[in-house]
Amino acid sequence: MSTILAIHASPRGERSHSRRLAEVFLSAWQVRNPQSQLTRREVGRALIPAVNEAFVAAAFHPEPQARPLSMQADLALSDELVGELLGHDLLVISTPMYNFSVPSGLKAWIDQIVRLGLTFNHTLDNGIAQYEPLVRGKKALIVTSRGGFGFGPGGELEAMNHADPLLRTALGFIGITDVTVVAAEGEESAERTFQVSVAEAEQRLLALAREF
């Protein structure tokens, strides 16, 4: 039985295009997999704290099994988020592109789940850092909306897109390299133009729901 973890990153509710598109996929996927488990994690409309000094000290404690209770408390949410990620087969991230990158809540989630000893390991080889991903056998789908056109592969504004590459890099670093991106572009363009892009994204998501 496959399980899906859905991360919603838009601060908007019903007006969020990325959230609505992701739900198109999730609804279709659930119809095909009625016995499966779906977990939704809100990072856009719920506070995910930024990493601070206490988090860093606890996460990089030299003896993880001997962390004092105060440090365990500092990592409690991170442990929960990592457990969610590891406990599901498929990852769906819905996010708008904000100022060429991702919303702060999604960046905070990434910082909380990229954890030494849990999602990656670090060793030294002749003094040079070597990193080993620990998250294996998972697939990810990124559902995103963009205000303008041309931010996708081969587009004239591709170099300004720091959202998809950030997510691919962070997920790849921990071991999730099978990543698919579905985007709707042109929200700030003529309404009909954006509607066409949304319709195309919906059709692709419905098709993907049969494959994931």
Side-chain angles (χ1 to χ4, degrees), residues 24-25 28-29 32 141 182 199-212:
V24 167
F25 170 85
W29 189 86
R32 296 185 63 85
L141 170 63
V182 176
E200 292 174 349
E202 287 178 347
Q203 290 305 307
R204 188 176 179 204
L205 290 168
L206 289 174
L208 284 171
R210 297 190 292 269
E211 302 171 8
F212 265 64

Side-chain angles (χ1 to χ4, degrees), residues 8 22 26 29 31 53 63 68 84 95 97 143 151 162 167 180 190 195:
H8 285 316
L26 295 171
W29 189 86
V31 168
E53 170 61 25
E63 298 182 43
E84 274 185 349
T95 180
M97 185 173 73
V143 184
F151 290 98
H162 303 287
L167 293 171
T180 301
Q195 288 175 346

Side-chain angles (χ1 to χ4, degrees), residues 7-13 15-20 42-46 94-96 98 103 106 145:
I7 305 294
H8 285 316
S10 175
R12 300 201 299 183
R15 295 190 305 122
S16 167
H17 300 297
S18 60
R19 185 188 300 269
R20 186 183 65 79
E42 186 63 56
V43 304
R45 296 173 63 82
S94 74
T95 180
Y98 272 12
L106 182 52
S145 60

Side-chain angles (χ1 to χ4, degrees), residues 40-100:
R40 291 178 175 85
R41 167 65 68 168
E42 186 63 56
V43 304
R45 296 173 63 82
L47 177 63
I48 301 296
V51 164
N52 57 20
E53 170 61 25
F55 177 98
V56 173
F60 291 91
H61 191 279
E63 298 182 43
Q65 303 305 317
R67 289 188 183 102
L69 291 178
S70 59
M71 285 189 170
Q72 294 177 38
D74 291 328
L75 295 178
L77 175 60
S78 176
D79 289 342
E80 179 181 348
L81 296 176
V82 170
E84 274 185 349
L85 177 64
L86 297 179
H88 292 78
D89 305 307
L90 311 174
L91 173 65
V92 175
I93 298 176
S94 74
T95 180
M97 185 173 73
Y98 272 12
N99 299 319
F100 315 108

